[in-house]
Amino acid sequence: MSLTLEQVKSKSNKRLVGLQPVVLAATLALIERCYKRGVPIVITQGLRTIEEQEALYAQGRTKPGSIVTNAKGGTSYHNYGLAVDFALLLPNGSAVSWDLKRDGDCDKATDWGEVVDEAKELGFEWGGDFTSIKDAPHFQMSFGLTISQLRAGIKPSETALAKAQAKIEIYMKECNDVKAEKANFIVNGVKQKDGLFIDGTVYVPLRTAGEALDATVGWNKDTKTATLTRKV
């Protein structure tokens, strides 16, 4: 992939303005996770004002063009900064695709499906799961609120926001790449091998360490307990 993560993120910047902060955090995390999976995406729609929604709804009805939405002004989660739409970013860095069957990274899984999997892990609801009209490019976070409640001025509770933020942080922490390096270790002045250095800690094979210390290594398969006993 010729584009860096920052370059991919920059292509969505204009569509991120006005998103509810937790939704913004989840969207940025989604872009990053998809990039690491080899599936770069671009956000094509974020906050959409009620006026913009009304104009979009009129298209194909009272104005020229084809119908692109069935949501009137005020009836879309986009109108409250709680939803985003996306497209697959193609290798040239400028063209996009809405092909649900595309497998650009050749891993025998559709790119679209990979994006949906990541989005759901981050707490998004997917428009492809809607029971009435499917909306495959659409992700939203309702925080348990209906459109009627949002129209009445009710905002997501602090508890709901905190839970959503925590889910994002936990998932991203779990997804962080863990780097392991080979490491030697010395026992009584004798260099050993087969150790691993992971996240600031050296891990060594117990049998190797035991033999170097002239100790007996045991294993209880029932209690799954390893023992290291020095010979007398």
Side-chain angles (χ1 to χ4, degrees):
M1 185 184 305
S2 58
L3 294 177
T4 66
L5 174 58
E6 291 308 313
Q7 288 173 323
V8 170
K9 283 184 175 181
S10 69
K11 293 183 177 296
S12 297
N13 283 346
K14 291 182 180 180
R15 297 299 184 181
L16 301 180
V17 177
L19 288 177
Q20 196 282 336
V22 176
V23 178
L24 173 60
T27 302
L28 290 171
L30 178 63
I31 296 171
E32 179 178 337
R33 285 296 307 149
C34 291
Y35 178 86
K36 288 185 176 181
R37 289 185 68 158
V39 184
I41 63 171
V42 62
I43 302 304
T44 59
Q45 184 66 71
L47 174 67
R48 188 187 297 141
T49 66
I50 292 178
E51 292 75 16
E52 290 171 335
Q53 188 73 38
E54 288 286 8
L56 201 60
Y57 181 78
Q59 184 176 317
R61 294 181 173 88
T62 59
K63 293 183 178 180
S66 57
I67 292 178
V68 293
T69 183
N70 290 292
K72 295 182 178 180
T75 66
S76 169
Y77 283 95
H78 282 288
N79 303 152
Y80 306 93
L82 303 180
V84 296
D85 292 341
F86 81 98
L88 303 173
L89 185 62
L90 297 182
N92 63 14
S94 57
V96 298
S97 171
W98 285 272
D99 182 358
L100 274 61
K101 296 182 179 180
R102 176 180 169 79
D103 181 17
D105 55 348
C106 301
D107 62 354
K108 298 183 179 180
T110 65
D111 295 347
W112 205 272
E114 292 182 85
V115 177
V116 171
D117 288 344
E118 292 292 343
K120 288 183 176 181
E121 290 288 351
L122 288 163
F124 278 111
E125 302 159 24
W126 180 42
D129 289 331
F130 291 171
T131 55
S132 53
I133 300 174
K134 305 291 185 182
D135 191 357
H138 180 89
F139 295 125
Q140 66 184 38
M141 285 189 172
S142 65
F143 300 105
L145 296 177
T146 65
I147 287 294
S148 295
Q149 290 173 315
L150 290 170
R151 296 186 75 177
I154 299 176
K155 298 184 182 299
S157 69
E158 291 300 320
T159 299
L161 293 173
K163 286 182 177 179
Q165 183 67 43
K167 184 171 186 176
I168 296 166
E169 292 175 359
I170 290 172
Y171 181 60
M172 291 302 287
K173 184 177 181 180
E174 291 175 347
C175 290
N176 283 341
D177 296 329
V178 177
K179 294 183 179 179
E181 301 177 53
K182 291 183 179 180
N184 296 316
F185 60 101
I186 297 174
V187 178
N188 292 330
V190 179
K191 182 183 288 188
Q192 310 294 325
K193 58 180 181 179
D194 298 329
L196 287 176
F197 182 75
I198 303 175
D199 196 23
T201 301
V202 176
Y203 295 84
V204 300
L206 189 60
R207 186 166 301 280
T208 300
E211 291 175 352
L213 291 167
D214 195 23
T216 301
V217 177
W219 172 250
N220 187 315
K221 66 178 181 180
D222 295 324
T223 61
K224 299 187 183 304
T225 302
T227 57
L228 190 66
T229 306
R230 291 290 301 271
K231 297 177 182 179
V232 178

